[in-house]
Amino acid sequence: MSMLIRISRDLMKNNLQHAVKNNTWYQTKSRCLSIAAALQHYGPSVLGADQIKKMYEQSLSDPETFWGEHARSKLNWIKDFEQVSNSDMNTGKHEWFLNGKINVSENCLDRHVARDPDATALIWEKDEPNTHVKVSYKELLEKTCQVANVLKRKGVQKGDTVCIYMPVSPIAVACMLACTRIGAIHSVVFAGFSAEALSARINDGGSKIVITADEGLRGSKRISLKNTVDKALENCSVDNVLVYQRTGADVHMQHGRDFYLEEEMSSESVECVPEPMDSEDPLFILYTSGSTGKPKGVQHSQAGYLLYAMMTHKYVFKYEVGDIYACVADIGWITGHSYVVYGPLANGATSVLFESVPTYPDPGRYWEMVERLKVNQFYGAPTAIRLLLKFGNEFVEKYDRDTLKVLGTVGEPINEEAWHWYYDIVGQKKCPISDTWWQTETGGIVISPVPEQDVVPPKPACPMFPFFGVKPILLDEEGKELHGNDVSGLLCLGSSLPGMARTIHGDQERFLDVYYRPYPGYYFTGDGARRDAEGHYHITGRVDDVINVKGVRLGTAEVEDVMDNHDAVAETAVVGYPHEIKGQGVYAYVTLKEGISESEEDIKKELQAMVKSSIGSFAVPEMIQIAPGLPKTRSGKIMRRILRCVAANKPEDVGDISTLADDSVVEEIIANHEKLL
Ligand code: WTA
């Protein structure tokens, strides 16, 4: 109750002067009352350490009661569920809130509109500096309904897939929510992927409709999205393309297929009855990289995902009603789905949409935004922190950051230097850092210094604690559970969580092969971890052939597949190497066919261009070594460990190479590497 009073009081204080001047004091009062009502409805986000401990224990000992109660108190149900969970870690089955009926957009919009229609849902921090646009919950609901009605008119039905290839914008959020309104499955593709990558995702998801924009804007650079879509569609059969006019650029519009989104919306009603969806109906597909094969469409379902995103958002970021919360991720990644859109909106928060880049117009962009928008929680990627710290403290210190309460990081390990800069300089040693470990597949944050951070001193670069319901398990190579503290192993999860991926779209076998068959009874994350002497979790990095470039997950096999298509190339092997800013860079070892006369430099340039056009510029190898051969075992397996050591400038760590078919190749590779530097 005291918090309720404090919030009301702060709000009163902030608005009183303005209200008296404009004679709108009664509106201020009603806003306070509606905030108070919201607070009573959802409960506090800042919990005491004892309470957290009790909740965590209950979440493991009696998950049915724990999740059941939260699902009933935090979500609006069209029809109550009959069973909390029917999950089995042995078969990779996750079913939550069975036979319940729910609509995600209704939970993210209508219920907040009923309470406080003018509350700000989104603040769009546009690419152009010093411009932001506020969108209220009522406006967002109306736009969502209009898009939903357009989609219906274009023939989209419950269960159909809609591809969204758009810049970060309120209209993109409305498009995602519009899909959920009518029960369509969205497949958002990051608007930095190439035409080839986009067409593969459109085809795999079976999308018959694509929503895009004329152009994107990032750091004042125009990105021709519609052109890319046109190119992608040469290989797809799509009925309609809806084009949002972000810049107003002149783009090619194919008669009968392409329509301007806002023109189509203008004739539609601002109401659309939400479709009752089964808890377990698919909500969205999101493609992510694995260690083998093509990217996989990770599929999430309705109620469990929403509850998990909502609860993690609330407790990890200590989100309180009235806070301005900014996650600067792109909506094209899972972080954007869970912590720009679904988690915050389900909580009725004000969520900032960041369209720009951290260095535009200068490296003070984030902190200028924090001051101007009065941001309370800031959630970003270590790669940006590493980049910004190079520019010095002045770009941070000239802006007021006193509103900040919690800082978060995600997507890759944060090194200690970056952690300290974030904690000491950005947060002025006052803001706890939530170093959040999770994955596209988990739907939401799994390990993070949540709640007990107030009583346990923070540990740099350490996600520390499992979230409610999470049972982290460390296994040795043979799959034996490692008990006790001070142990390192393969990170697995031993319990089902409501937000876990349900399958890989169209490929249940691959889903089981990748996550559930390697260590029966557990979900295998692909990461390694250490449980330190005090029982806190540290992530040691991927243990498979996935690398993390600027916080973006990339399968080395994907890059190899592209380069293998070059006529001069015999064989390739791609590994990650430590990169000061990007976390990891892409390093390619390439062997050529006999009798190639083309210059090595030309081949390298062509390979880079191929990767750019097949995947996207973030995947382009910065280092390419034309190698005499690849180190292989006698059975023909490439010894990537050796390639990683050389790429990391640590040839002395190569160790035993006696199992190689031809060990002379190692010396040549080391010599070649030195020439590249
Ligand atoms: C890595 C992003 C260390 C990890 C939400 C994981 C991290 C992969 C952290 C998932 C962290 C994510 N510390 N590593 N705090 N967070 N990772 O699917 O390797 O894009 O498996 O999801 O990123 O990447 P994804």
Side-chain angles (χ1 to χ4, degrees):
M1 202 58 185
S2 67
M3 182 161 50
L4 201 125
I5 294 165
R6 182 167 58 76
I7 286 180
S8 303
R9 192 197 53 208
D10 288 353
L11 199 96
M12 278 294 198
K13 203 169 65 194
N14 289 344
N15 290 338
L16 203 62
Q17 228 179 342
H18 178 84
V20 169
K21 205 164 110 202
N22 297 295
N23 199 22
T24 55
W25 60 270
Y26 55 92
Q27 282 174 2
T28 305
K29 185 176 150 210
S30 77
R31 178 118 175 73
C32 285
L33 288 176
S34 71
I35 284 180
L39 200 58
Q40 257 169 348
H41 186 84
Y42 299 120
S45 62
V46 184
L47 307 169
D50 288 347
Q51 197 179 354
I52 298 282
K53 201 159 164 259
K54 247 199 252 151
M55 282 170 75
Y56 180 68
E57 278 164 10
Q58 190 205 15
S59 73
L60 290 192
S61 64
D62 185 8
E64 299 262 323
T65 306
F66 179 85
W67 293 111
E69 282 177 6
H70 282 286
R72 287 203 171 92
S73 66
K74 288 189 166 62
L75 297 176
N76 277 17
W77 293 89
I78 297 169
K79 178 182 159 278
D80 191 14
F81 50 90
E82 290 162 11
Q83 188 184 349
V84 174
S85 178
N86 178 26
S87 305
D88 181 353
M89 296 300 282
N90 282 300
T91 56
K93 181 170 78 171
H94 302 274
E95 290 178 353
W96 285 85
F97 314 118
L98 286 86
N99 301 323
K101 296 277 181 213
I102 194 165
N103 185 277
V104 167
S105 76
E106 199 256 329
N107 274 275
C108 290
L109 298 170
D110 307 52
R111 60 178 177 159
H112 310 311
V113 173
R115 216 179 340 264
D116 188 0
D118 298 327
T120 305
L122 304 172
I123 304 179
W124 185 23
E125 173 71 5
K126 297 173 71 173
D127 188 58
E128 299 89 340
N130 258 310
T131 54
H132 63 257
V133 176
K134 291 189 176 180
V135 181
S136 72
Y137 269 95
K138 180 164 178 280
E139 287 164 340
L140 186 58
L141 172 61
E142 290 179 354
K143 296 244 175 287
T144 297
C145 289
Q146 285 180 309
V147 178
N149 290 328
V150 172
L151 291 176
K152 283 210 273 196
R153 178 155 54 78
K154 299 286 177 198
V156 177
Q157 294 180 354
K158 182 173 173 172
D160 288 350
T161 310
V162 173
C163 177
I164 298 177
Y165 184 71
M166 295 179 88
V168 174
S169 53
I171 202 78
V173 176
C175 290
M176 293 166 76
L177 291 168
C179 290
T180 74
R181 189 107 187 145
I182 63 173
I185 303 164
H186 61 67
S187 165
V188 181
V189 178
F190 170 61
F193 274 112
S194 67
E196 211 178 306
L198 175 62
S199 69
R201 286 156 176 77
I202 292 171
N203 287 334
D204 186 85
S207 303
K208 288 283 166 235
I209 191 157
V210 178
I211 317 181
T212 188
D214 48 6
E215 290 181 317
L217 264 184
R218 298 204 76 205
S220 81
K221 228 177 82 195
R222 286 164 179 258
I223 301 150
S224 44
L225 300 181
K226 176 62 167 62
N227 282 349
T228 307
V229 170
D230 287 342
K231 237 185 270 159
L233 294 191
E234 287 168 13
N235 301 310
C236 309
S237 94
V238 157
D239 302 329
N240 287 126
V241 179
L242 297 169
V243 183
Y244 160 56
Q245 289 178 285
R246 169 61 180 94
T247 63
D250 204 9
V251 291
H252 168 73
M253 295 291 281
Q254 185 175 311
H255 184 72
R257 185 194 72 177
D258 303 350
F259 300 90
Y260 284 116
L261 175 62
E262 283 163 302
E263 239 171 74
E264 296 292 308
M265 285 165 67
S266 62
S267 58
E268 290 294 345
S269 159
V270 293
E271 284 173 22
C272 173
V273 178
E275 183 71 30
M277 301 298 290
D278 191 274
S279 297
E280 281 300 322
D281 280 335
L283 176 64
F284 65 81
I285 304 169
L286 185 58
Y287 287 84
T288 191
S289 297
S291 47
T292 55
K294 58 188 173 72
K296 45 201 179 191
V298 172
Q299 189 170 304
H300 282 281
S301 65
Q302 311 264 330
Y305 168 81
L306 188 66
L307 179 70
Y308 197 73
M310 181 182 182
M311 285 180 63
T312 44
H313 170 255
K314 180 183 172 106
Y315 295 117
V316 171
F317 298 104
K318 297 179 186 271
Y319 165 75
E320 291 176 81
V321 180
D323 282 349
I324 310 286
Y325 160 88
C327 167
V328 291
D330 194 285
I331 52 161
W333 308 119
I334 190 68
T335 308
H337 281 56
S338 303
Y339 299 110
V340 175
V341 182
Y342 291 112
L345 295 184
N347 281 320
T350 297
S351 182
V352 172
L353 299 174
F354 185 73
E355 188 187 26
S356 195
V357 295
T359 48
Y360 178 70
D362 63 42
R365 177 63 184 260
Y366 281 163
W367 325 120
E368 185 275 325
M369 177 184 84
V370 165
E371 176 183 289
R372 179 163 34 85
L373 303 182
K374 300 191 168 30
V375 170
N376 301 111
Q377 291 95 351
F378 182 89
Y379 191 27
T383 185
I385 305 301
R386 284 193 295 267
L387 176 69
L388 295 179
L389 76 81
K390 301 265 168 250
F391 292 95
N393 302 350
E394 160 213 355
F395 284 107
V396 186
E397 284 168 348
K398 67 179 173 190
Y399 300 108
D400 181 356
R401 287 136 17 251
D402 280 349
T403 49
L404 288 173
K405 295 195 295 191
V406 177
L407 297 171
T409 74
V410 59
E412 51 175 323
I414 182 164
N415 50 315
E416 292 212 9
E417 184 194 12
W419 190 95
H420 276 293
W421 188 76
Y422 204 27
Y423 184 73
D424 297 350
I425 307 301
V426 176
Q428 303 169 89
K429 299 189 181 171
K430 289 190 301 205
C431 304
I433 294 194
S434 289
D435 176 354
T436 62
W437 177 88
W438 57 295
Q439 309 178 299
T440 305
E441 294 86 343
T442 65
I445 294 165
V446 172
I447 304 182
S448 166
V450 198
E452 291 170 72
Q453 59 205 359
D454 288 346
V455 286
V456 179
K459 273 189 192 172
C462 171
M464 298 177 88
F465 301 107
F467 190 73
F468 301 132
V470 174
K471 209 176 184 187
I473 306 281
L474 299 181
L475 300 181
D476 68 12
E477 292 289 342
E478 274 80 53
K480 232 176 65 237
E481 229 180 272
L482 297 164
H483 297 283
N485 290 342
D486 227 349
V487 285
S488 295
L490 305 169
L491 178 61
C492 292
L493 301 180
S495 55
S496 176
L497 296 167
M500 294 292 284
R502 301 306 195 244
T503 188
I504 290 174
H505 180 72
D507 203 346
Q508 173 68 8
E509 278 302 301
R510 189 174 175 202
F511 179 70
L512 297 177
D513 282 346
V514 175
Y515 306 114
Y516 294 95
R517 287 188 180 135
Y519 301 100
Y522 306 107
Y523 164 80
F524 175 49
T525 65
D527 278 285
R530 180 164 67 86
R531 190 162 49 227
D532 69 16
E534 290 166 292
H536 299 144
Y537 289 89
H538 302 248
I539 306 299
T540 50
R542 298 288 306 193
V543 294
D544 53 10
D545 292 320
V546 170
I547 59 176
N548 219 306
V549 183
K550 288 172 94 176
V552 173
R553 209 165 130 175
L554 183 66
T556 50
E558 280 172 72
V559 184
E560 291 165 5
D561 285 349
V562 174
M563 295 195 303
D564 287 344
N565 288 327
H566 192 290
D567 285 342
V569 167
E571 203 176 12
T572 60
V574 170
V575 296
Y577 70 99
H579 187 287
E580 212 187 342
I581 306 290
K582 297 180 178 181
Q584 282 185 296
V586 186
Y587 194 123
Y589 295 86
V590 175
T591 63
L592 302 181
K593 291 177 184 158
E594 295 287 320
I596 297 294
S597 56
E598 208 182 337
S599 82
E600 289 193 359
E601 282 319 302
D602 285 350
I603 292 174
K604 286 184 188 181
K605 280 195 196 118
E606 285 161 14
L607 289 173
Q608 287 174 322
M610 284 170 79
V611 175
K612 186 173 174 189
S613 82
S614 292
I615 306 176
S617 43
F618 62 90
V620 172
E622 267 175 300
M623 303 280 274
I624 301 183
Q625 172 178 159
I626 305 292
L630 298 176
K632 288 187 185 167
T633 59
R634 285 184 190 95
S635 60
K637 196 169 175 303
I638 298 173
M639 290 199 59
R640 287 168 181 278
R641 179 180 59 79
I642 295 174
L643 298 176
R644 282 190 210 108
C645 289
V646 174
N649 278 332
K650 289 190 172 154
E652 66 280 8
D653 290 353
V654 160
D656 181 18
I657 53 171
S658 60
T659 54
L660 287 183
D662 169 15
D663 58 14
S664 68
V665 89
V666 176
E667 258 173 52
E668 285 187 67
I669 282 176
I670 294 171
N672 276 351
H673 172 73
E674 280 161 6
K675 277 187 242 153
L676 280 181
L677 298 176

